[in-house]
Coordinates of all heavy atoms in Angstrom, one line a residue:
Chain Y
P34 N 32.0 103.8 60.6 CA 31.8 105.2 60.0 C 31.9 105.1 58.5 O 32.7 104.4 58.0 CB 33.0 106.0 60.6 CG 33.5 105.2 61.8 CD 33.2 103.8 61.5
L35 N 31.0 105.9 57.9 CA 31.0 105.9 56.4 C 32.3 106.3 55.8 O 32.7 105.8 54.7 CB 29.9 106.9 55.9 CG 28.5 106.4 56.1 CD1 27.5 107.5 55.6 CD2 28.2 105.1 55.4
S36 N 33.1 107.1 56.5 CA 34.3 107.6 56.0 C 35.4 106.5 55.8 O 36.3 106.6 55.1 CB 34.9 108.7 56.8 OG 35.0 108.3 58.2
E37 N 35.2 105.4 56.6 CA 36.1 104.3 56.5 C 35.8 103.3 55.4 O 36.6 102.4 55.1 CB 36.2 103.6 57.8 CG 36.8 104.4 58.9 CD 36.9 103.6 60.3 OE1 36.7 102.4 60.3 OE2 37.1 104.3 61.3
L38 N 34.7 103.4 54.8 CA 34.3 102.5 53.7 C 35.0 102.9 52.4 O 35.2 104.1 52.2 CB 32.8 102.5 53.5 CG 32.0 101.9 54.7 CD1 30.5 102.1 54.4 CD2 32.3 100.5 55.0
S39 N 35.2 101.9 51.5 CA 35.8 102.2 50.2 C 34.7 102.7 49.3 O 33.5 102.6 49.6 CB 36.4 100.9 49.6 OG 35.4 100.0 49.3
L40 N 35.2 103.2 48.2 CA 34.2 103.8 47.2 C 33.3 102.7 46.7 O 32.1 102.9 46.5 CB 35.0 104.3 46.0 CG 35.4 105.8 46.1 CD1 36.1 106.2 44.8 CD2 34.2 106.7 46.3
Q41 N 33.8 101.5 46.5 CA 33.0 100.4 46.0 C 31.9 100.1 47.0 O 30.8 99.8 46.6 CB 33.9 99.2 45.7 CG 33.1 98.0 45.0 CD 34.0 96.8 44.8 OE1 35.2 97.0 44.8 NE2 33.4 95.7 44.6
Q42 N 32.3 100.0 48.3 CA 31.4 99.7 49.3 C 30.3 100.7 49.4 O 29.1 100.4 49.6 CB 32.1 99.5 50.7 CG 32.8 98.2 50.8 CD 33.7 98.2 52.0 OE1 34.3 99.2 52.4 NE2 33.8 97.0 52.6
L43 N 30.7 102.0 49.3 CA 29.7 103.1 49.4 C 28.8 103.0 48.2 O 27.6 103.3 48.4 CB 30.5 104.4 49.4 CG 31.1 104.9 50.7 CD1 31.9 106.1 50.5 CD2 30.0 105.1 51.7
G44 N 29.3 102.7 47.0 CA 28.5 102.5 45.8 C 27.4 101.5 46.0 O 26.2 101.7 45.7
E45 N 27.8 100.3 46.6 CA 26.9 99.2 46.8 C 25.8 99.6 47.8 O 24.6 99.3 47.7 CB 27.6 98.0 47.2 CG 28.3 97.2 46.1 CD 29.0 96.0 46.6 OE1 28.8 95.5 47.7 OE2 29.9 95.6 45.8
L46 N 26.3 100.3 48.9 CA 25.4 100.8 49.9 C 24.4 101.7 49.3 O 23.2 101.6 49.7 CB 26.2 101.5 51.0 CG 25.6 101.6 52.4 CD1 25.1 100.3 52.9 CD2 26.6 102.3 53.3
Q47 N 24.8 102.6 48.5 CA 23.9 103.6 47.8 C 22.9 102.8 47.0 O 21.7 103.2 47.0 CB 24.7 104.5 46.9 CG 24.0 105.7 46.5 CD 25.0 106.8 46.0 OE1 26.2 106.6 46.0 NE2 24.4 107.9 45.5
K48 N 23.3 101.8 46.3 CA 22.4 101.0 45.4 C 21.4 100.3 46.3 O 20.2 100.4 46.0 CB 23.2 100.0 44.6 CG 22.5 99.5 43.4 CD 23.3 98.3 42.8 CE 24.6 98.8 42.3 NZ 25.4 97.7 41.7
N49 N 21.8 99.7 47.4 CA 20.9 99.0 48.3 C 19.8 100.0 48.8 O 18.6 99.7 48.9 CB 21.6 98.4 49.4 CG 22.3 97.1 49.1 OD1 21.9 96.5 48.0 ND2 23.2 96.7 49.9
C50 N 20.3 101.2 49.2 CA 19.4 102.2 49.8 C 18.4 102.6 48.7 O 17.2 102.8 49.1 CB 20.3 103.4 50.2 SG 19.4 104.5 51.3

Side-chain angles (χ1 to χ4, degrees):
Chain Y
L35 287 179
S36 54
E37 288 180 16
L38 296 176
S39 69
L40 271 181
Q41 186 181 342
Q42 284 170 325
L43 280 173
E45 281 178 21
L46 200 55
Q47 195 164 357
K48 199 187 297 178
N49 282 342
C50 193

